[in-house]
Amino acid sequence: DAGVIQSPRHEVTEMGQEVTLRCKPISGHNSLFWYRQTMMRGLELLIYFNNNVPIDDSGMPEDRFSAKMPNASFSTLKIQPSEPRDSAVYFCASSSANVLTFGAGSRLTVL
Amino acid sequence: AQSVTQPDIHITVSEGASLELRCNYSYGATPYLFWYVQSPGQGLQLLLKYFSGDTLVQGIKGFEAEFKRSQSSFNLRKPSVHWSDAAEYFCAVAPGDTDKLIFGTGTRLQVFP
């Protein structure tokens, strides 16, 4: 089992650019989560899906953020336009039987 | 709303010493409780979990945690710390009917030789 796979691992972009982060959950896991980690705010839940359907997106900061899960094996988190305050590590996690498994994260730097 | 408090931001111990990391939660019923560990530049790895039953749970890497309902606590312990245990430790809570995890702010553990 390859675990939860995230790409890219590192992204450096300029303010105003579109950023797309990708996640492949563990096969058979029916829930998928996007978290953001910063020094100031710690780990924040942005959105989570169950059976590909968004269940709770109350943590999505603003309309610049969007997330999709077109099928059980793929999800994206998009930021458009990006801002320096979006710089963080973004984690994807998938779960089965109430246990989350995390990916290695995508470190985003917006200049 | 559920919340998790980890009162210790940073703890330093000597290698071989015992360790206890504190975690308190706020939730009306008995939640599902978790401890995760994060090494620098890595994702979070599950150490142990409590859903029900025996209030003392064993995890990986020699860690254990005890659920105390009366104190709303779920403290993590290890009898003898190794230098490789230096990392950040997160306590998390989830209601029983959802996988949605709420994390504490983390405790950074430093281990001196």
Side-chain angles (χ1 to χ4, degrees), chain B residues 1-110:
Chain B
Q2 306 91 30
S3 66
V4 180
T5 301
Q6 293 182 247
D8 304 306
I9 296 174
H10 186 202
I11 285 183
T12 301
V13 299
S14 298
E15 190 169 19
S18 63
L19 173 70
E20 182 168 24
L21 303 183
R22 296 183 290 165
C23 173
N24 293 94
Y25 67 90
S26 172
Y27 182 60
T30 299
Y32 291 177
L33 296 160
F34 306 80
W35 276 99
Y36 281 82
V37 61
Q38 184 181 29
S39 298
Q42 303 296 315
L44 281 75
Q45 180 184 21
L46 179 68
L47 279 177
L48 48 78
K49 63 185 184 294
Y50 173 78
F51 289 172
S52 65
D54 192 347
T55 56
L56 183 64
V57 294
Q58 303 296 320
I60 62 172
K61 304 184 181 186
F63 285 92
E64 67 178 26
E66 186 172 12
F67 169 59
K68 293 186 177 180
R69 184 190 307 274
S70 61
Q71 299 176 19
S72 297
S73 70
F74 188 57
N75 293 350
L76 181 71
R77 300 194 295 248
K78 186 169 185 177
S80 178
V81 171
H82 188 263
W83 64 267
S84 60
D85 293 324
E88 186 137 21
Y89 292 80
F90 293 92
C91 182
V93 61
D97 59 348
T98 174
D99 294 353
K100 178 179 172 179
L101 280 187
I102 306 299
F103 284 89
T105 51
T107 297
R108 180 167 297 279
L109 175 65
Q110 192 170 8

Side-chain angles (χ1 to χ4, degrees), chain A residues 25-36:
Chain A
I26 293 173
S27 177
H29 284 195
N30 56 8
S31 293
L32 182 140
F33 303 79
W34 283 99
Y35 282 85
R36 178 172 67 176

Side-chain angles (χ1 to χ4, degrees), chain A residues 60-109:
Chain A
M60 294 287 263
E62 49 199 272
D63 292 345
R64 296 184 298 106
F65 285 70
S66 63
K68 294 182 179 179
M69 192 166 185
N71 56 62
S73 59
F74 184 65
S75 176
T76 59
L77 178 67
K78 185 174 292 187
I79 308 172
Q80 166 64 17
S82 58
E83 296 182 3
R85 60 190 168 125
D86 302 328
S87 298
V89 181
Y90 292 81
F91 287 103
C92 176
S94 65
S95 76
S96 175
N98 298 105
V99 177
L100 268 66
T101 302
F102 283 79
S106 294
R107 180 175 294 276
L108 173 64
T109 302

